Amino acid sequence: MIYTVTLNTAIDHILYISEELTRKKNNRIRNQTYDIGGKATHVSVVLSSLQIQNIATGFVGSLNKDLLIELMRKKGVHCDFVEQEGSKTRESFIIIDESGKGSYMITDQGFEIKNESYEKLLKKLKQFVKEKDIVVFAGSPPAGIDVDKYKKILQTVKDLNGKLIVDASGDYLKTAVELSPTLIKPNEFEFQELIGKNCHTISEFAEEIQILMNKGIQYVVISLGKRGSLVGFQQEIYHFIPPKVKEVNDTGCGDVFVGGITAKLSENCPLEEIFRFATALGASKATQQGSSDFSLKIAKDLEKEVQIQFIRGVN
Ligand code: TA6
């Protein structure tokens, strides 16, 4: 079984603006919609679209949970969230104008997690996670989940011999690395913050990826946006480069990328298959309107156009 844990779920309120978003101007909304947000939720959407069994958990606020759970249900996701009574799940505002220069994302903090809710999540994980289950943690932890509590949650999965996939930043990522997760997926800025230095060249990134692989992390993945990703696995490092696509909404590309990785990892696919598919799927996300929309058909067509460069290793 695969579990996705979104500690800070979000409802994405997507605003489509006429022309280009401009200060000191009445920017007209030409359309608006709601979609799933919070990052690990996107992973569940990908898995469910591929008929891969998974359960989406984490925290939701009881006051508006129905909208998020309905959005997830419509995308075929089975949810089992810890509901915090009297709290409201946050909204992330995604603004897409007609400039074609990319989206704006404005995210709320989210409600503070009470200790009672934290304990309920720990109990849920202890009850369900079995050996070799994959548990994906992605998205920013909310107030009430400090680094120590975050570590305790991840340690609970490790103690149950679950496989950790972690997309986090700052001290949370540092803490996750100490537990030798199966896979980490920071972006380049989060990675540089993790190692405490700036990398300017791919070989500098490769050096640092090697150090983290030596610490026992099976897959060290750094997402580079349109430039693709660097992947370290079994002492080898590759650069996966997506084909150019007509961008509609870049929100959620990284999350769908993690979803593609998780799907193929769960099927024990070889490295190239995992990341060729995940790269193409993430690229297909950018061509879609929503935060969690992607196209398996477009991804299938794009897969063969993904470029793979061997960077270093025993190859
Ligand atoms: O990556 C896209 C996204 O999940 C949006 O859907 C929005 O909800 C935001 O990121 C949430 O990010 P955060 O890091 O605040 O959990």
Side-chain angles (χ1 to χ4, degrees), residues 185 221 223 229 252-262 275 278-279 281-282:
K185 200 291 299 170
V221 183
S223 56
S229 61
C253 291
D255 310 323
V256 166
F257 175 60
V258 174
I261 295 170
T262 305
F275 287 93
T279 302
L281 197 68

Side-chain angles (χ1 to χ4, degrees), residues 8 10 12 36-39 42 90 92 105 107 139-140 251-252 255 291:
N8 198 0
D12 282 8
I36 293 159
K39 293 190 183 322
H42 292 69
R90 65 177 172 152
S92 298
M105 183 156 42
T107 54
S140 60
T251 308
D255 310 323
S291 302

Side-chain angles (χ1 to χ4, degrees), residues 11-24:
I11 295 166
D12 282 8
H13 189 170
I14 308 174
L15 304 173
Y16 300 95
I17 304 291
S18 301
E19 299 167 11
E20 182 163 354
L21 187 68
T22 309
R23 294 177 192 283
K24 298 183 180 180

Side-chain angles (χ1 to χ4, degrees), residues 226-227 241-247 283 286-287 302 305-307:
K226 290 188 176 70
R227 287 172 293 141
I241 303 161
K244 287 200 180 342
V245 294
K246 184 176 178 344
E247 183 181 299
T287 68
L302 291 177
E305 297 176 46
V306 173
Q307 292 174 51

